[in-house]
Amino acid sequence: MTAPHRLSLDAAALVANWRALSALGGDAACGAAVKADGYGLGARDVVTRLAAAGCRDVFVSTWAEARALADVAARTGVTLSVLHGIRADDGERPAMARPVLNTPAQVARWKALGGGACDVMVDTGMNRLGLSPEDATGDLLDGVAVETLMSHLACADEDAAMNRRQRDLFASLAGRTGARRMSLANSAGIALGADYAFDLTRPGIALYGGAPSPALAAVIRPVATIEAEVLQTRLVPAGQVVGYNATWTAPVDTWVAIVNLGYADGYWRGFSDRGTAWAGDAALRVIGRVSMDLVALDLGDADVGEGDWVRFDPDLPRAAAASGMSQYELLTGLGHRLERRWV
Ligand SMILES: *Cc1c(COP(=O)(O)O)cnc(C)c1O
């Protein structure tokens, strides 16, 4: 039994992307953000492959995500940094996992638990998570073993003056917190230049084929491709309509494929009349509204029939532009029905 749709995942591209990002970071170690189940692709498979390539530092959001990776981490020797820190009731904390402390209360909680190895997030202007620079450099962190001091860039995917301000403020904290290493750059931050890499980089989206800035588009390969089976084909006579709300009208007699994919699979309504799929070398336009479980394609001259498979455009910058969704949303929203198949 096979599902009528799947997510084809290119393991070689994943590893090549990690290597390319690692090279861009120069001497810095290159980690991997695998929160939200590896941005929807499957964190266990991602970590297994990147660990084999040499990745040692893995970032998740929650302890539940860390627990789901505990055996993989133990087997591969990677450490897990839990970005949301430590709450009062987080449950079991696997060995190899440490919190990224974000608030004075989290620091106090960690000290009460013995103050073992941890990371610390410092806020350099994004005003999302993190200690203030004053707290990070005062006596608050006395008695905790800080492995990595981190901060996060607000505008790394833009050419913004704020990037330099955040970098310089972060650099000014060097040697003032007891941290063994410093880490600032996400995927887009890596592309800003070597002076953003510090000791450790934390790419996420670009590992998975996303190009948050044009500089990365040249080196990053797509990883995830949705493939789906044609359920029915029909010749729609000129003047007839296709799909909900009859938004598309056939200008001429048109062969149309109805495909096993919809917004319940993360193929969003934003692709209505805008998405692209491929049958061999033939580009097929999405026509009409994307339904929950179905989407219609204009077959043009392509020789496609019931039971054939088509693949949807895996180029994330292009898909984001077409759908109006972010590259991050397109990946993390990929539905659970799609069988993840590493090739
Ligand atoms: C998600 C995340 C990253 C990775 O960001 P990308 O833009 O996906 O590369 C890095 N650091 C932190 C703190 C994050 O939350």
Side-chain angles (χ1 to χ4, degrees):
M1 194 194 77
T2 56
H5 39 219
R6 61 188 173 230
L7 193 62
S8 177
L9 297 164
D10 185 338
L14 173 78
V15 170
N17 290 342
W18 183 78
R19 292 214 165 101
L21 292 160
S22 184
L24 284 174
D27 291 338
C30 187
V34 305
K35 58 203 186 192
D37 200 18
Y39 288 44
L41 274 51
R44 296 174 60 86
D45 288 308
V46 168
V47 171
T48 300
R49 284 170 174 79
L50 294 185
C55 177
R56 286 292 163 267
D57 302 271
V58 169
F59 301 88
V60 295
S61 284
T62 67
W63 289 95
E65 291 181 342
R67 283 191 290 274
L69 289 169
D71 60 325
V72 178
R75 191 170 67 238
T76 58
V78 303
T79 60
L80 306 171
S81 292
V82 180
L83 290 164
H84 291 189
I86 177 139
R87 294 153 61 242
D89 179 23
D90 270 321
E92 194 197 329
R93 294 188 307 278
M96 327 289 290
R98 57 181 188 249
V100 181
L101 304 176
N102 293 293
T103 71
Q106 290 192 348
V107 174
R109 206 171 282 135
W110 192 241
K111 282 184 183 172
L113 290 166
C118 63
D119 299 329
V120 167
M121 176 69 73
V122 60
D123 176 53
T124 52
M126 187 181 188
N127 281 301
R128 198 174 66 167
L129 290 178
L131 298 178
S132 67
E134 294 70 33
D135 279 344
T137 53
D139 55 14
L140 180 73
L141 292 175
D142 291 357
V144 293
V146 182
E147 176 66 20
T148 306
L149 184 73
M150 300 181 199
S151 192
H152 197 54
L153 295 164
C155 311
D157 57 347
E158 300 175 74
D159 181 15
M162 183 161 179
N163 291 325
R164 175 57 53 180
R165 282 202 301 276
Q166 285 194 272
R167 193 220 81 96
D168 290 349
L169 175 53
F170 188 60
S172 77
L173 305 177
R176 295 171 60 200
T177 66
R180 216 172 58 78
R181 301 192 294 180
M182 296 180 74
S183 173
L184 177 64
N186 60 354
S187 300
I190 292 169
L192 292 177
D195 51 344
Y196 285 78
F198 291 88
D199 304 307
L200 169 67
T201 59
R202 309 187 305 268
I205 189 81
L207 296 172
Y208 312 114
S213 57
L216 287 175
V219 294
I220 294 302
R221 285 159 55 182
V223 174
T225 306
I226 296 174
E227 298 170 343
E229 198 178 284
V230 173
L231 195 54
Q232 184 168 22
T233 59
R234 63 174 63 253
L235 183 61
V236 178
Q240 288 210 20
V241 299
V242 169
Y244 280 124
N245 305 104
T247 61
W248 186 83
T249 304
V252 294
D253 293 358
T254 305
W255 277 101
V256 170
I258 309 299
V259 179
N260 254 299
L261 184 76
Y263 57 78
D265 304 299
Y267 197 72
W268 304 111
R269 288 231 318 190
F271 286 111
S272 300
D273 286 311
R274 306 187 60 108
T276 306
W278 298 84
D281 291 337
L284 313 175
R285 276 187 322 117
V286 170
I287 52 176
R289 287 267 160 89
V290 176
S291 301
M292 184 184 296
D293 308 310
L294 297 167
V295 61
L297 301 173
D298 179 345
L299 288 177
D301 298 331
D303 181 18
V304 173
E306 188 175 327
D308 287 345
W309 286 70
V310 295
R311 58 191 202 285
F312 287 76
D313 187 5
D315 184 285
L316 281 169
R318 209 158 50 208
S323 65
M325 310 282 286
S326 76
Q327 298 176 53
Y328 297 83
E329 291 167 296
L330 291 177
L331 286 182
T332 59
L334 288 166
H336 298 293
R337 290 195 297 208
L338 301 173
E339 178 201 342
R340 271 67 173 163
R341 185 180 289 188
W342 289 89
V343 295

